[in-house]
PDB file of all heavy atoms in Angstrom:
ATOM      1  N   ALA A 208     -14.792 -77.539 -32.479  1.00  0.00           N
ATOM      2  CA  ALA A 208     -14.082 -78.310 -31.453  1.00  0.00           C
ATOM      3  C   ALA A 208     -12.616 -78.507 -31.812  1.00  0.00           C
ATOM      4  O   ALA A 208     -11.768 -78.606 -30.928  1.00  0.00           O
ATOM      5  CB  ALA A 208     -14.760 -79.656 -31.243  1.00  0.00           C
ATOM      6  N   LEU A 209     -12.311 -78.556 -33.102  1.00  0.00           N
ATOM      7  CA  LEU A 209     -10.935 -78.770 -33.562  1.00  0.00           C
ATOM      8  C   LEU A 209     -10.249 -77.493 -34.029  1.00  0.00           C
ATOM      9  O   LEU A 209      -9.098 -77.530 -34.452  1.00  0.00           O
ATOM     10  CB  LEU A 209     -10.934 -79.789 -34.706  1.00  0.00           C
ATOM     11  CG  LEU A 209     -11.473 -81.179 -34.347  1.00  0.00           C
ATOM     12  CD1 LEU A 209     -11.487 -82.070 -35.568  1.00  0.00           C
ATOM     13  CD2 LEU A 209     -10.682 -81.804 -33.217  1.00  0.00           C
ATOM     14  N   SER A 210     -10.910 -76.373 -33.941  1.00  0.00           N
ATOM     15  CA  SER A 210     -10.387 -75.112 -34.462  1.00  0.00           C
ATOM     16  C   SER A 210      -9.104 -74.680 -33.750  1.00  0.00           C
ATOM     17  O   SER A 210      -9.007 -74.771 -32.525  1.00  0.00           O
ATOM     18  CB  SER A 210     -11.441 -74.015 -34.306  1.00  0.00           C
ATOM     19  OG  SER A 210     -10.888 -72.762 -34.643  1.00  0.00           O
ATOM     20  N   PRO A 211      -8.126 -74.188 -34.523  1.00  0.00           N
ATOM     21  CA  PRO A 211      -6.915 -73.658 -33.893  1.00  0.00           C
ATOM     22  C   PRO A 211      -7.150 -72.295 -33.242  1.00  0.00           C
ATOM     23  O   PRO A 211      -6.319 -71.820 -32.480  1.00  0.00           O
ATOM     24  CB  PRO A 211      -5.925 -73.554 -35.062  1.00  0.00           C
ATOM     25  CG  PRO A 211      -6.792 -73.414 -36.265  1.00  0.00           C
ATOM     26  CD  PRO A 211      -8.050 -74.178 -35.976  1.00  0.00           C
ATOM     27  N   THR A 212      -8.266 -71.656 -33.555  1.00  0.00           N
ATOM     28  CA  THR A 212      -8.622 -70.372 -32.940  1.00  0.00           C
ATOM     29  C   THR A 212      -9.925 -70.557 -32.161  1.00  0.00           C
ATOM     30  O   THR A 212     -11.016 -70.238 -32.657  1.00  0.00           O
ATOM     31  CB  THR A 212      -8.781 -69.265 -34.010  1.00  0.00           C
ATOM     32  OG1 THR A 212      -9.722 -69.707 -34.994  1.00  0.00           O
ATOM     33  CG2 THR A 212      -7.455 -68.954 -34.686  1.00  0.00           C
ATOM     34  N   PRO A 213      -9.808 -71.101 -30.969  1.00  0.00           N
ATOM     35  CA  PRO A 213     -11.004 -71.490 -30.215  1.00  0.00           C
ATOM     36  C   PRO A 213     -11.850 -70.305 -29.751  1.00  0.00           C
ATOM     37  O   PRO A 213     -11.334 -69.241 -29.437  1.00  0.00           O
ATOM     38  CB  PRO A 213     -10.435 -72.243 -29.016  1.00  0.00           C
ATOM     39  CG  PRO A 213      -9.050 -71.726 -28.857  1.00  0.00           C
ATOM     40  CD  PRO A 213      -8.581 -71.369 -30.236  1.00  0.00           C
ATOM     41  N   ARG A 214     -13.143 -70.549 -29.744  1.00  0.00           N
ATOM     42  CA  ARG A 214     -14.098 -69.626 -29.134  1.00  0.00           C
ATOM     43  C   ARG A 214     -14.675 -70.319 -27.915  1.00  0.00           C
ATOM     44  O   ARG A 214     -14.533 -71.531 -27.758  1.00  0.00           O
ATOM     45  CB  ARG A 214     -15.228 -69.300 -30.121  1.00  0.00           C
ATOM     46  CG  ARG A 214     -14.739 -68.545 -31.341  1.00  0.00           C
ATOM     47  CD  ARG A 214     -15.884 -67.990 -32.162  1.00  0.00           C
ATOM     48  NE  ARG A 214     -16.580 -69.054 -32.879  1.00  0.00           N
ATOM     49  CZ  ARG A 214     -17.809 -68.932 -33.355  1.00  0.00           C
ATOM     50  NH1 ARG A 214     -18.488 -67.817 -33.174  1.00  0.00           N
ATOM     51  NH2 ARG A 214     -18.383 -69.911 -34.011  1.00  0.00           N
ATOM     52  N   HIS A 215     -15.346 -69.564 -27.078  1.00  0.00           N
ATOM     53  CA  HIS A 215     -15.991 -70.148 -25.910  1.00  0.00           C
ATOM     54  C   HIS A 215     -17.448 -70.501 -26.168  1.00  0.00           C
ATOM     55  O   HIS A 215     -17.965 -71.447 -25.595  1.00  0.00           O
ATOM     56  CB  HIS A 215     -15.905 -69.198 -24.710  1.00  0.00           C
ATOM     57  CG  HIS A 215     -14.515 -69.048 -24.207  1.00  0.00           C
ATOM     58  ND1 HIS A 215     -13.883 -67.833 -24.105  1.00  0.00           N
ATOM     59  CD2 HIS A 215     -13.616 -69.963 -23.790  1.00  0.00           C
ATOM     60  CE1 HIS A 215     -12.662 -68.002 -23.634  1.00  0.00           C
ATOM     61  NE2 HIS A 215     -12.473 -69.287 -23.437  1.00  0.00           N
ATOM     62  N   ARG A 216     -18.106 -69.716 -26.984  1.00  0.00           N
ATOM     63  CA  ARG A 216     -19.522 -69.938 -27.287  1.00  0.00           C
ATOM     64  C   ARG A 216     -19.722 -69.922 -28.790  1.00  0.00           C
ATOM     65  O   ARG A 216     -19.162 -69.091 -29.487  1.00  0.00           O
ATOM     66  CB  ARG A 216     -20.394 -68.840 -26.677  1.00  0.00           C
ATOM     67  CG  ARG A 216     -20.557 -68.919 -25.195  1.00  0.00           C
ATOM     68  CD  ARG A 216     -21.521 -67.830 -24.693  1.00  0.00           C
ATOM     69  NE  ARG A 216     -21.802 -67.988 -23.288  1.00  0.00           N
ATOM     70  CZ  ARG A 216     -21.066 -67.465 -22.311  1.00  0.00           C
ATOM     71  NH1 ARG A 216     -20.012 -66.743 -22.607  1.00  0.00           N
ATOM     72  NH2 ARG A 216     -21.392 -67.676 -21.052  1.00  0.00           N
ATOM     73  N   VAL A 217     -20.564 -70.840 -29.246  1.00  0.00           N
ATOM     74  CA  VAL A 217     -20.923 -70.890 -30.659  1.00  0.00           C
ATOM     75  C   VAL A 217     -22.444 -70.902 -30.746  1.00  0.00           C
ATOM     76  O   VAL A 217     -23.089 -71.821 -30.232  1.00  0.00           O
ATOM     77  CB  VAL A 217     -20.334 -72.132 -31.363  1.00  0.00           C
ATOM     78  CG1 VAL A 217     -20.788 -72.205 -32.812  1.00  0.00           C
ATOM     79  CG2 VAL A 217     -18.812 -72.127 -31.255  1.00  0.00           C
ATOM     80  N   VAL A 218     -22.996 -69.881 -31.358  1.00  0.00           N
ATOM     81  CA  VAL A 218     -24.437 -69.772 -31.547  1.00  0.00           C
ATOM     82  C   VAL A 218     -24.780 -70.418 -32.882  1.00  0.00           C
ATOM     83  O   VAL A 218     -24.137 -70.140 -33.898  1.00  0.00           O
ATOM     84  CB  VAL A 218     -24.888 -68.292 -31.525  1.00  0.00           C
ATOM     85  CG1 VAL A 218     -26.373 -68.160 -31.824  1.00  0.00           C
ATOM     86  CG2 VAL A 218     -24.540 -67.653 -30.179  1.00  0.00           C
ATOM     87  N   LEU A 219     -25.786 -71.282 -32.879  1.00  0.00           N
ATOM     88  CA  LEU A 219     -26.201 -71.978 -34.095  1.00  0.00           C
ATOM     89  C   LEU A 219     -27.670 -71.698 -34.384  1.00  0.00           C
ATOM     90  O   LEU A 219     -28.525 -71.926 -33.524  1.00  0.00           O
ATOM     91  CB  LEU A 219     -25.996 -73.491 -33.949  1.00  0.00           C
ATOM     92  CG  LEU A 219     -24.574 -73.963 -33.672  1.00  0.00           C
ATOM     93  CD1 LEU A 219     -24.554 -75.476 -33.469  1.00  0.00           C
ATOM     94  CD2 LEU A 219     -23.643 -73.563 -34.799  1.00  0.00           C
ATOM     95  N   GLY A 220     -27.954 -71.237 -35.582  1.00  0.00           N
ATOM     96  CA  GLY A 220     -29.326 -71.005 -36.018  1.00  0.00           C
ATOM     97  C   GLY A 220     -29.684 -69.528 -36.045  1.00  0.00           C
ATOM     98  O   GLY A 220     -29.281 -68.755 -35.172  1.00  0.00           O
ATOM     99  N   SER A 221     -30.447 -69.163 -37.054  1.00  0.00           N
ATOM    100  CA  SER A 221     -30.854 -67.767 -37.204  1.00  0.00           C
ATOM    101  C   SER A 221     -31.737 -67.311 -36.046  1.00  0.00           C
ATOM    102  O   SER A 221     -31.645 -66.162 -35.604  1.00  0.00           O
ATOM    103  CB  SER A 221     -31.585 -67.573 -38.531  1.00  0.00           C
ATOM    104  OG  SER A 221     -32.739 -68.412 -38.590  1.00  0.00           O
ATOM    105  N   ASP A 222     -32.584 -68.186 -35.542  1.00  0.00           N
ATOM    106  CA  ASP A 222     -33.450 -67.805 -34.421  1.00  0.00           C
ATOM    107  C   ASP A 222     -32.631 -67.561 -33.157  1.00  0.00           C
ATOM    108  O   ASP A 222     -32.887 -66.614 -32.414  1.00  0.00           O
ATOM    109  CB  ASP A 222     -34.554 -68.837 -34.189  1.00  0.00           C
ATOM    110  CG  ASP A 222     -34.053 -70.251 -33.953  1.00  0.00           C
ATOM    111  OD1 ASP A 222     -32.894 -70.573 -34.313  1.00  0.00           O
ATOM    112  OD2 ASP A 222     -34.835 -71.069 -33.422  1.00  0.00           O
ATOM    113  N   ALA A 223     -31.614 -68.365 -32.933  1.00  0.00           N
ATOM    114  CA  ALA A 223     -30.748 -68.174 -31.766  1.00  0.00           C
ATOM    115  C   ALA A 223     -29.946 -66.887 -31.903  1.00  0.00           C
ATOM    116  O   ALA A 223     -29.812 -66.128 -30.931  1.00  0.00           O
ATOM    117  CB  ALA A 223     -29.814 -69.369 -31.597  1.00  0.00           C
ATOM    118  N   GLN A 224     -29.420 -66.632 -33.077  1.00  0.00           N
ATOM    119  CA  GLN A 224     -28.656 -65.406 -33.300  1.00  0.00           C
ATOM    120  C   GLN A 224     -29.521 -64.176 -33.021  1.00  0.00           C
ATOM    121  O   GLN A 224     -29.107 -63.242 -32.343  1.00  0.00           O
ATOM    122  CB  GLN A 224     -28.127 -65.367 -34.743  1.00  0.00           C
ATOM    123  CG  GLN A 224     -27.277 -64.169 -35.071  1.00  0.00           C
ATOM    124  CD  GLN A 224     -25.917 -64.192 -34.405  1.00  0.00           C
ATOM    125  OE1 GLN A 224     -25.417 -65.251 -34.029  1.00  0.00           O
ATOM    126  NE2 GLN A 224     -25.309 -63.040 -34.242  1.00  0.00           N
ATOM    127  N   ARG A 225     -30.740 -64.212 -33.494  1.00  0.00           N
ATOM    128  CA  ARG A 225     -31.660 -63.085 -33.309  1.00  0.00           C
ATOM    129  C   ARG A 225     -32.043 -62.924 -31.827  1.00  0.00           C
ATOM    130  O   ARG A 225     -31.935 -61.835 -31.267  1.00  0.00           O
ATOM    131  CB  ARG A 225     -32.895 -63.301 -34.186  1.00  0.00           C
ATOM    132  CG  ARG A 225     -33.938 -62.218 -34.154  1.00  0.00           C
ATOM    133  CD  ARG A 225     -35.081 -62.464 -35.156  1.00  0.00           C
ATOM    134  NE  ARG A 225     -35.637 -63.808 -35.098  1.00  0.00           N
ATOM    135  CZ  ARG A 225     -35.379 -64.799 -35.984  1.00  0.00           C
ATOM    136  NH1 ARG A 225     -34.564 -64.587 -36.997  1.00  0.00           N
ATOM    137  NH2 ARG A 225     -35.936 -65.988 -35.852  1.00  0.00           N
ATOM    138  N   ARG A 226     -32.479 -64.013 -31.195  1.00  0.00           N
ATOM    139  CA  ARG A 226     -32.975 -63.924 -29.818  1.00  0.00           C
ATOM    140  C   ARG A 226     -31.866 -63.570 -28.831  1.00  0.00           C
ATOM    141  O   ARG A 226     -32.060 -62.760 -27.922  1.00  0.00           O
ATOM    142  CB  ARG A 226     -33.650 -65.228 -29.410  1.00  0.00           C
ATOM    143  CG  ARG A 226     -34.525 -65.033 -28.185  1.00  0.00           C
ATOM    144  CD  ARG A 226     -35.556 -66.128 -28.075  1.00  0.00           C
ATOM    145  NE  ARG A 226     -35.228 -66.931 -26.920  1.00  0.00           N
ATOM    146  CZ  ARG A 226     -35.425 -68.226 -26.811  1.00  0.00           C
ATOM    147  NH1 ARG A 226     -35.960 -68.901 -27.799  1.00  0.00           N
ATOM    148  NH2 ARG A 226     -35.106 -68.861 -25.728  1.00  0.00           N
ATOM    149  N   ILE A 227     -30.698 -64.159 -28.997  1.00  0.00           N
ATOM    150  CA  ILE A 227     -29.581 -63.833 -28.111  1.00  0.00           C
ATOM    151  C   ILE A 227     -29.136 -62.391 -28.336  1.00  0.00           C
ATOM    152  O   ILE A 227     -28.806 -61.675 -27.386  1.00  0.00           O
ATOM    153  CB  ILE A 227     -28.425 -64.840 -28.297  1.00  0.00           C
ATOM    154  CG1 ILE A 227     -28.855 -66.208 -27.747  1.00  0.00           C
ATOM    155  CG2 ILE A 227     -27.157 -64.345 -27.616  1.00  0.00           C
ATOM    156  CD1 ILE A 227     -27.899 -67.338 -28.083  1.00  0.00           C
ATOM    157  N   GLY A 228     -29.153 -61.930 -29.581  1.00  0.00           N
ATOM    158  CA  GLY A 228     -28.804 -60.533 -29.871  1.00  0.00           C
ATOM    159  C   GLY A 228     -29.723 -59.559 -29.166  1.00  0.00           C
ATOM    160  O   GLY A 228     -29.274 -58.553 -28.578  1.00  0.00           O
ATOM    161  N   VAL A 229     -31.021 -59.838 -29.185  1.00  0.00           N
ATOM    162  CA  VAL A 229     -31.986 -58.986 -28.480  1.00  0.00           C
ATOM    163  C   VAL A 229     -31.691 -58.987 -26.985  1.00  0.00           C
ATOM    164  O   VAL A 229     -31.683 -57.945 -26.325  1.00  0.00           O
ATOM    165  CB  VAL A 229     -33.437 -59.446 -28.767  1.00  0.00           C
ATOM    166  CG1 VAL A 229     -34.435 -58.779 -27.822  1.00  0.00           C
ATOM    167  CG2 VAL A 229     -33.806 -59.164 -30.223  1.00  0.00           C
ATOM    168  N   LYS A 230     -31.415 -60.159 -26.429  1.00  0.00           N
ATOM    169  CA  LYS A 230     -31.120 -60.267 -24.990  1.00  0.00           C
ATOM    170  C   LYS A 230     -29.859 -59.489 -24.633  1.00  0.00           C
ATOM    171  O   LYS A 230     -29.818 -58.780 -23.625  1.00  0.00           O
ATOM    172  CB  LYS A 230     -30.968 -61.743 -24.604  1.00  0.00           C
ATOM    173  CG  LYS A 230     -30.481 -61.992 -23.195  1.00  0.00           C
ATOM    174  CD  LYS A 230     -31.508 -61.597 -22.134  1.00  0.00           C
ATOM    175  CE  LYS A 230     -31.040 -61.866 -20.732  1.00  0.00           C
ATOM    176  NZ  LYS A 230     -31.424 -63.138 -20.203  1.00  0.00           N
ATOM    177  N   LEU A 231     -28.819 -59.600 -25.455  1.00  0.00           N
ATOM    178  CA  LEU A 231     -27.581 -58.872 -25.177  1.00  0.00           C
ATOM    179  C   LEU A 231     -27.805 -57.366 -25.221  1.00  0.00           C
ATOM    180  O   LEU A 231     -27.263 -56.626 -24.390  1.00  0.00           O
ATOM    181  CB  LEU A 231     -26.485 -59.288 -26.157  1.00  0.00           C
ATOM    182  CG  LEU A 231     -25.983 -60.719 -26.002  1.00  0.00           C
ATOM    183  CD1 LEU A 231     -25.006 -61.057 -27.127  1.00  0.00           C
ATOM    184  CD2 LEU A 231     -25.355 -60.947 -24.644  1.00  0.00           C
ATOM    185  N   ASP A 232     -28.610 -56.890 -26.160  1.00  0.00           N
ATOM    186  CA  ASP A 232     -28.943 -55.458 -26.225  1.00  0.00           C
ATOM    187  C   ASP A 232     -29.683 -55.022 -24.966  1.00  0.00           C
ATOM    188  O   ASP A 232     -29.414 -53.959 -24.405  1.00  0.00           O
ATOM    189  CB  ASP A 232     -29.788 -55.153 -27.468  1.00  0.00           C
ATOM    190  CG  ASP A 232     -29.005 -55.303 -28.770  1.00  0.00           C
ATOM    191  OD1 ASP A 232     -27.758 -55.341 -28.730  1.00  0.00           O
ATOM    192  OD2 ASP A 232     -29.661 -55.384 -29.827  1.00  0.00           O
ATOM    193  N   GLN A 233     -30.626 -55.859 -24.508  1.00  0.00           N
ATOM    194  CA  GLN A 233     -31.373 -55.541 -23.287  1.00  0.00           C
ATOM    195  C   GLN A 233     -30.447 -55.510 -22.072  1.00  0.00           C
ATOM    196  O   GLN A 233     -30.543 -54.609 -21.226  1.00  0.00           O
ATOM    197  CB  GLN A 233     -32.486 -56.570 -23.055  1.00  0.00           C
ATOM    198  CG  GLN A 233     -33.615 -56.486 -24.037  1.00  0.00           C
ATOM    199  CD  GLN A 233     -34.572 -57.674 -23.912  1.00  0.00           C
ATOM    200  OE1 GLN A 233     -34.229 -58.728 -23.377  1.00  0.00           O
ATOM    201  NE2 GLN A 233     -35.781 -57.506 -24.427  1.00  0.00           N
ATOM    202  N   LEU A 234     -29.572 -56.493 -21.978  1.00  0.00           N
ATOM    203  CA  LEU A 234     -28.631 -56.538 -20.851  1.00  0.00           C
ATOM    204  C   LEU A 234     -27.733 -55.305 -20.837  1.00  0.00           C
ATOM    205  O   LEU A 234     -27.506 -54.702 -19.777  1.00  0.00           O
ATOM    206  CB  LEU A 234     -27.761 -57.797 -20.922  1.00  0.00           C
ATOM    207  CG  LEU A 234     -28.391 -59.100 -20.479  1.00  0.00           C
ATOM    208  CD1 LEU A 234     -27.446 -60.263 -20.776  1.00  0.00           C
ATOM    209  CD2 LEU A 234     -28.743 -59.065 -19.002  1.00  0.00           C
ATOM    210  N   ARG A 235     -27.209 -54.925 -21.991  1.00  0.00           N
ATOM    211  CA  ARG A 235     -26.321 -53.759 -22.065  1.00  0.00           C
ATOM    212  C   ARG A 235     -27.073 -52.496 -21.643  1.00  0.00           C
ATOM    213  O   ARG A 235     -26.557 -51.688 -20.868  1.00  0.00           O
ATOM    214  CB  ARG A 235     -25.743 -53.618 -23.472  1.00  0.00           C
ATOM    215  CG  ARG A 235     -24.892 -52.381 -23.706  1.00  0.00           C
ATOM    216  CD  ARG A 235     -23.722 -52.222 -22.781  1.00  0.00           C
ATOM    217  NE  ARG A 235     -22.734 -53.233 -22.995  1.00  0.00           N
ATOM    218  CZ  ARG A 235     -21.628 -53.365 -22.246  1.00  0.00           C
ATOM    219  NH1 ARG A 235     -21.391 -52.549 -21.251  1.00  0.00           N
ATOM    220  NH2 ARG A 235     -20.782 -54.324 -22.471  1.00  0.00           N
ATOM    221  N   ALA A 236     -28.304 -52.336 -22.099  1.00  0.00           N
ATOM    222  CA  ALA A 236     -29.093 -51.152 -21.747  1.00  0.00           C
ATOM    223  C   ALA A 236     -29.364 -51.114 -20.240  1.00  0.00           C
ATOM    224  O   ALA A 236     -29.221 -50.059 -19.602  1.00  0.00           O
ATOM    225  CB  ALA A 236     -30.403 -51.133 -22.533  1.00  0.00           C
ATOM    226  N   GLU A 237     -29.738 -52.254 -19.652  1.00  0.00           N
ATOM    227  CA  GLU A 237     -29.999 -52.289 -18.210  1.00  0.00           C
ATOM    228  C   GLU A 237     -28.721 -52.085 -17.405  1.00  0.00           C
ATOM    229  O   GLU A 237     -28.728 -51.420 -16.369  1.00  0.00           O
ATOM    230  CB  GLU A 237     -30.673 -53.599 -17.827  1.00  0.00           C
ATOM    231  CG  GLU A 237     -32.110 -53.684 -18.310  1.00  0.00           C
ATOM    232  CD  GLU A 237     -32.815 -54.960 -17.868  1.00  0.00           C
ATOM    233  OE1 GLU A 237     -32.319 -55.644 -16.950  1.00  0.00           O
ATOM    234  OE2 GLU A 237     -33.865 -55.260 -18.445  1.00  0.00           O
ATOM    235  N   TYR A 238     -27.635 -52.660 -17.881  1.00  0.00           N
ATOM    236  CA  TYR A 238     -26.341 -52.502 -17.221  1.00  0.00           C
ATOM    237  C   TYR A 238     -25.939 -51.035 -17.189  1.00  0.00           C
ATOM    238  O   TYR A 238     -25.565 -50.498 -16.140  1.00  0.00           O
ATOM    239  CB  TYR A 238     -25.300 -53.353 -17.963  1.00  0.00           C
ATOM    240  CG  TYR A 238     -23.882 -53.131 -17.527  1.00  0.00           C
ATOM    241  CD1 TYR A 238     -23.387 -53.731 -16.373  1.00  0.00           C
ATOM    242  CD2 TYR A 238     -23.015 -52.337 -18.281  1.00  0.00           C
ATOM    243  CE1 TYR A 238     -22.076 -53.529 -15.975  1.00  0.00           C
ATOM    244  CE2 TYR A 238     -21.705 -52.139 -17.891  1.00  0.00           C
ATOM    245  CZ  TYR A 238     -21.238 -52.731 -16.734  1.00  0.00           C
ATOM    246  OH  TYR A 238     -19.951 -52.535 -16.344  1.00  0.00           O
ATOM    247  N   GLU A 239     -26.016 -50.369 -18.321  1.00  0.00           N
ATOM    248  CA  GLU A 239     -25.633 -48.957 -18.395  1.00  0.00           C
ATOM    249  C   GLU A 239     -26.572 -48.085 -17.568  1.00  0.00           C
ATOM    250  O   GLU A 239     -26.126 -47.166 -16.881  1.00  0.00           O
ATOM    251  CB  GLU A 239     -25.617 -48.480 -19.851  1.00  0.00           C
ATOM    252  CG  GLU A 239     -24.535 -49.135 -20.705  1.00  0.00           C
ATOM    253  CD  GLU A 239     -23.110 -48.866 -20.219  1.00  0.00           C
ATOM    254  OE1 GLU A 239     -22.867 -47.855 -19.524  1.00  0.00           O
ATOM    255  OE2 GLU A 239     -22.223 -49.685 -20.539  1.00  0.00           O
ATOM    256  N   ALA A 240     -27.877 -48.351 -17.605  1.00  0.00           N
ATOM    257  CA  ALA A 240     -28.849 -47.560 -16.853  1.00  0.00           C
ATOM    258  C   ALA A 240     -28.652 -47.701 -15.346  1.00  0.00           C
ATOM    259  O   ALA A 240     -28.978 -46.782 -14.589  1.00  0.00           O
ATOM    260  CB  ALA A 240     -30.270 -47.969 -17.240  1.00  0.00           C
ATOM    261  N   GLY A 241     -28.106 -48.810 -14.902  1.00  0.00           N
ATOM    262  CA  GLY A 241     -27.928 -49.048 -13.475  1.00  0.00           C
ATOM    263  C   GLY A 241     -26.546 -48.763 -12.941  1.00  0.00           C
ATOM    264  O   GLY A 241     -26.261 -49.047 -11.773  1.00  0.00           O
ATOM    265  N   LYS A 242     -25.678 -48.183 -13.754  1.00  0.00           N
ATOM    266  CA  LYS A 242     -24.289 -47.969 -13.347  1.00  0.00           C
ATOM    267  C   LYS A 242     -24.175 -47.123 -12.080  1.00  0.00           C
ATOM    268  O   LYS A 242     -23.459 -47.484 -11.140  1.00  0.00           O
ATOM    269  CB  LYS A 242     -23.493 -47.316 -14.476  1.00  0.00           C
ATOM    270  CG  LYS A 242     -22.046 -47.090 -14.138  1.00  0.00           C
ATOM    271  CD  LYS A 242     -21.274 -46.496 -15.290  1.00  0.00           C
ATOM    272  CE  LYS A 242     -19.830 -46.279 -14.907  1.00  0.00           C
ATOM    273  NZ  LYS A 242     -19.071 -45.637 -15.994  1.00  0.00           N
ATOM    274  N   ASP A 243     -24.879 -46.003 -12.022  1.00  0.00           N
ATOM    275  CA  ASP A 243     -24.777 -45.136 -10.855  1.00  0.00           C
ATOM    276  C   ASP A 243     -25.271 -45.830  -9.587  1.00  0.00           C
ATOM    277  O   ASP A 243     -24.686 -45.671  -8.519  1.00  0.00           O
ATOM    278  CB  ASP A 243     -25.553 -43.835 -11.091  1.00  0.00           C
ATOM    279  CG  ASP A 243     -24.897 -42.960 -12.149  1.00  0.00           C
ATOM    280  OD1 ASP A 243     -23.678 -43.132 -12.406  1.00  0.00           O
ATOM    281  OD2 ASP A 243     -25.605 -42.118 -12.735  1.00  0.00           O
ATOM    282  N   VAL A 244     -26.339 -46.612  -9.706  1.00  0.00           N
ATOM    283  CA  VAL A 244     -26.845 -47.353  -8.552  1.00  0.00           C
ATOM    284  C   VAL A 244     -25.803 -48.368  -8.092  1.00  0.00           C
ATOM    285  O   VAL A 244     -25.526 -48.501  -6.896  1.00  0.00           O
ATOM    286  CB  VAL A 244     -28.183 -48.042  -8.886  1.00  0.00           C
ATOM    287  CG1 VAL A 244     -28.593 -49.000  -7.774  1.00  0.00           C
ATOM    288  CG2 VAL A 244     -29.278 -47.012  -9.119  1.00  0.00           C
ATOM    289  N   ALA A 245     -25.209 -49.097  -9.035  1.00  0.00           N
ATOM    290  CA  ALA A 245     -24.194 -50.091  -8.673  1.00  0.00           C
ATOM    291  C   ALA A 245     -23.037 -49.450  -7.921  1.00  0.00           C
ATOM    292  O   ALA A 245     -22.608 -49.943  -6.873  1.00  0.00           O
ATOM    293  CB  ALA A 245     -23.690 -50.802  -9.930  1.00  0.00           C
ATOM    294  N   LEU A 246     -22.539 -48.348  -8.442  1.00  0.00           N
ATOM    295  CA  LEU A 246     -21.393 -47.685  -7.820  1.00  0.00           C
ATOM    296  C   LEU A 246     -21.742 -47.066  -6.472  1.00  0.00           C
ATOM    297  O   LEU A 246     -20.871 -46.925  -5.602  1.00  0.00           O
ATOM    298  CB  LEU A 246     -20.826 -46.626  -8.766  1.00  0.00           C
ATOM    299  CG  LEU A 246     -20.305 -47.155 -10.108  1.00  0.00           C
ATOM    300  CD1 LEU A 246     -19.811 -46.015 -10.986  1.00  0.00           C
ATOM    301  CD2 LEU A 246     -19.220 -48.198  -9.912  1.00  0.00           C
TER     302      LEU A 246
END
């Protein structure tokens, strides 16, 4: 909260780091697979 180099999101805990990482990988894969449909 007081950092001179602010971030928007802070993940806390090994379980959160792991689970959010898996979700981000899934989102990226689905995003890329659907690019042609989106366009």
Side-chain angles (χ1 to χ4, degrees):
L209 299 177
S210 172
T212 54
R214 295 191 287 160
H215 292 123
R216 287 184 174 88
V217 177
V218 176
L219 301 176
S221 59
D222 56 340
Q224 182 71 23
R225 182 175 49 257
R226 197 159 112 214
I227 291 170
V229 168
K230 172 68 179 267
L231 292 174
D232 291 344
Q233 290 170 340
L234 282 173
R235 175 57 67 184
E237 289 183 16
Y238 171 80
E239 294 299 336
K242 181 178 180 183
D243 291 339
V244 170
L246 299 178

